[in-house]
Amino acid sequence: MKILVVGAGLSGLVAAHRLQATSHKVTILEARSRVGGRVMTVREPFAEGQHADVGAMILYEGQNTILDLCREFGIKLTPVKTVGAELPCVRYGGRLLGREEIGASFAELGKAQSAHPAEPFETAAAWVRRCRLSAQAVALLDAFIEIQPSIPLRFVDARGLHIGPERYMQMADGNDQLPRRLAQDLDVRFGHVVRLIDWSRSSVVVETEKGRFEGDLLVLAVPGPLTTDIGWDPPLPAEKVRALVSLRYGTGAGVASQYRERKAVSDAVRTAFFSDTIPRWILDLSVDQPGNAAVVTTILSGESEPRGFAQNDVLREVDSALTEITRSGVTRLGGAMVSWTDDPFARCIARAPIGDQRETVLREIKQPLSNRVFFAGEHTDERPGPGGMDGAIRSGLRVVNEITGAPSRQSSMDHAVRPGSWTIDKIARAARVSFSHPPWSQPPMSQR
C-alpha cells in the first residue's frame, strides 16, 4: 500500500520506518526544513563543541520503548544521573533557603498528601489550598511542575503529583540523533504545510501549500493543537473535535545558556535549582559533554510567566540567578531560546491530561477514521503524565499495529510510574526521620 505520513517528529518517523520495513511505500510530508519536531538540539552559538536540547530533554529510567529504540540504532547514551540525588538549591522570597527549610517544605507536602488525598479531577491549585499549605511549599511544588509539562497548578492533576529523585539519561551527542537516524532511509518531503485532508473516498488525499498527494492510508503525526487547524473533508466527527479541544497542553520556551565557569556553575546548581521567580528551575545537562564550559537549561512557561520576554531578557535572568547561587560573577558565552508556544508547527510542549482523560479523551482522539486515517503523536498515548519522547514512539508503534494487525508489544513497565521516582509522601517520611540526611540524598525506596 501507499501510505502518507504527515509529520516527521518521532511518532511519524517511527511509524514510517516500521511500515516501510513491512514493504509499504511511505512518503512523509513535513512542514519544517528538518526532522525531529519538538526534539531539537541547538549547537550554535555554543563553543567547544557543546550543545543543548531545547525541546524534549531527557530520557527517564524505565521508559523502555525509547531506550530499546536507541539501542537498536546504536545511539550512545550518557551515564544515568539523578535529579535530586541531594537537596536542590532553592530560592524563595528573594533569598536562598537553608537545607532544613527545604526539607521542611518536602515534609509539609508529604504530610498534606497523606492526610488529604486528592480527589478525581481535583487540580493541584485547589488541592494545595484545601490542605492550607504554606506559600513556600506551594512555590516549591509549582517550580517542580514547571519542568514538565510546563503548566500552572490550576491545570495539574493533583492525583498524579510526585516529586523527588528522578533517574534519567540523554543521548550523548544530542537528542536529535535518534530522529536523524530514523529518517536516513525514508522519503521525507520538507516544506509541505498541510492545508486539507480529504478522506471522503476510498483513498486519502492531502493538499499542501506545495502540492497534492494521494495514498491508500494516512498517518497524522502532528502535535494535538494542530489537528483542528487542518481542513477536513468531510469534517472531523464531533466527538473527536470535543476530545481534541478539551485536552490541555503545556506551553513555553526552551532556554539554554553556556558559561565559562564550568565547576562553579555545576557545583552551585547541583542536581537542580528551583525558584519562585524567573527562571523557575535550572538543570545542568552538560556534565557529560566535552569542553570546559557549562550549559544550563530551563523552560519559560507560556502560561505562568509574562509573555513577550525577549531572549536577552530571559538570559539575563539566568545570569542573575547563577551569579547569586555561585556567589561570584559568571561569563555567558552563548545562549538560545526557542518558543514552542509561538512555533506554528507545535503550539505546545506536551499534553497534560487530567482526571480520567487517558481513558476517555485520549481514546477518542486516537480512534482511526474509517480505517484510512490513523492518529499518532505523544498526545495520543495513554501513558501517565506528559507523553514525551517515549509516548511519541509508543504512539507510532501503536499505529503500525493498527495498520498491520500485529498484536501490541507494549511493556506494562511503560505504563507504570517511572522507577526511582518518589511520591511526596515517601519524601516526607524520609525528611521527618532526619534533616541531617535529607530525602534527596537517599537512594529511591525501590533500591534500598
Side-chain angles (χ1 to χ4, degrees):
M1 288 189 297
K2 183 177 181 180
I3 300 177
L4 301 176
V5 176
V6 175
L10 279 179
S11 56
L13 291 171
V14 166
H17 182 271
R18 293 294 196 257
L19 289 169
Q20 183 168 282
T22 57
S23 300
H24 295 294
K25 180 177 175 55
V26 182
T27 300
I28 303 178
L29 304 176
E30 168 56 45
R32 304 180 191 275
S33 59
R34 62 172 180 85
V35 298
R38 283 167 288 173
V39 177
M40 183 176 181
T41 304
V42 176
R43 293 178 172 80
E44 294 182 357
F46 302 133
E48 301 187 40
Q50 293 190 321
H51 64 267
D53 286 298
V54 292
M57 294 179 185
I58 53 183
L59 291 66
Y60 289 103
E61 183 184 54
Q63 293 186 335
N64 296 327
T65 309
I66 188 170
L67 296 178
D68 288 345
L69 197 61
C70 287
R71 283 189 284 268
E72 177 183 338
F73 282 92
I75 303 294
K76 181 181 178 183
L77 302 177
T78 64
V80 176
K81 294 183 284 292
T82 305
V83 175
E86 58 180 303
L87 276 173
C89 180
V90 178
R91 180 177 65 184
Y92 175 74
R95 67 182 182 87
L96 297 176
L97 300 185
R99 299 175 70 83
E100 289 196 4
E101 291 178 286
I102 299 170
S105 293
F106 278 120
E108 184 181 355
L109 290 167
K111 182 178 179 181
Q113 190 181 56
S114 178
H116 307 286
E119 296 294 329
F121 281 98
E122 185 174 21
T123 68
W127 176 76
V128 299
R129 286 170 175 78
R130 178 163 66 89
C131 297
R132 299 173 176 81
L133 292 178
S134 69
Q136 183 170 298
V138 173
L140 179 60
L141 180 62
D142 195 22
F144 269 97
I145 297 302
E146 290 293 334
I147 294 182
Q148 195 180 45
S150 302
I151 55 176
L153 294 179
R154 66 181 180 275
F155 299 129
V156 174
D157 188 337
R159 292 194 303 171
L161 288 176
H162 68 279
I163 57 175
E166 296 278 15
R167 292 169 61 83
Y168 73 94
M169 61 211 79
Q170 294 175 281
M171 297 176 211
D173 297 318
N175 290 341
D176 65 347
Q177 299 303 298
L178 183 56
R180 288 185 179 188
R181 291 292 301 277
L182 280 164
Q184 277 184 351
D185 299 318
L186 297 175
D187 178 13
V188 183
R189 312 286 180 91
F190 294 109
H192 281 277
V193 180
V194 174
R195 292 306 184 200
L196 177 70
I197 296 174
D198 183 346
W199 57 291
S200 63
R201 60 196 79 185
S202 59
S203 61
V204 180
V205 175
V206 177
E207 297 179 13
T208 77
E209 292 182 348
K210 297 170 65 174
R212 181 179 183 275
F213 299 83
E214 186 170 358
D216 299 300
L217 301 177
L218 170 72
V219 176
L220 186 70
V222 300
L226 303 186
T227 306
T228 52
D229 265 356
I230 297 171
W232 293 85
D233 186 15
L236 288 175
E239 295 79 8
K240 188 177 289 291
V241 175
R242 278 195 289 266
L244 283 163
V245 299
S246 67
L247 183 61
R248 179 159 292 278
Y249 301 85
T251 60
V255 181
S257 193
Q258 183 186 45
Y259 296 91
R260 178 176 296 157
E261 298 80 9
R262 180 166 190 158
K263 186 176 188 307
V265 169
S266 295
D267 289 348
V269 173
R270 300 201 294 266
T271 58
F273 165 78
F274 297 102
S275 175
D276 59 340
T277 59
I278 297 172
R280 305 303 302 276
W281 58 272
I282 294 175
L283 293 178
D284 176 7
L285 299 179
S286 63
V287 176
D288 300 301
Q289 293 188 30
N292 298 311
V295 177
V296 301
T297 308
T298 188
I299 290 177
L300 185 70
S301 173
E303 293 198 63
S304 63
E305 306 294 0
R307 294 293 304 277
F309 262 49
Q311 175 174 305
N312 285 339
D313 295 332
V314 175
L315 294 179
R316 279 195 290 269
E317 294 293 338
V318 178
D319 296 346
S320 177
L322 291 177
T323 296
E324 180 180 0
I325 64 177
T326 59
R327 305 184 189 280
S328 62
V330 292
T331 308
R332 181 174 9 116
L333 301 176
M337 184 171 77
V338 175
S339 173
W340 297 107
T341 308
D342 299 327
D343 187 318
F345 308 126
R347 298 298 187 196
C348 68
I349 292 176
R351 61 92 190 269
I354 189 169
D356 65 355
Q357 285 191 328
R358 287 189 296 116
E359 288 74 33
T360 55
V361 169
L362 296 185
R363 292 189 178 181
E364 181 62 45
I365 287 173
K366 72 180 184 180
Q367 188 70 24
L369 299 176
S370 300
N371 287 323
R372 292 197 304 280
V373 180
F374 298 82
F375 296 87
E378 59 88 20
H379 66 289
T380 69
D381 188 58
E382 294 180 17
R383 66 175 298 112
M389 291 186 285
D390 197 65
I393 294 168
R394 285 166 50 92
S395 75
L397 295 176
R398 170 184 52 77
V399 163
V400 172
N401 292 335
E402 290 173 347
I403 292 173
T404 63
S408 174
R409 296 184 179 180
Q410 300 293 354
S411 167
S412 60
M413 175 64 75
D414 290 331
H415 282 285
V417 174
R418 292 186 294 268
S421 63
W422 283 22
T423 63
I424 298 174
D425 184 53
K426 288 180 179 177
I427 293 175
R429 288 202 301 270
R432 287 197 292 270
V433 172
S434 172
F435 287 142
S436 63
H437 298 286
W440 284 55
S441 67
Q442 305 293 322
M445 293 289 184
S446 61
Q447 298 179 17
R448 295 188 186 177

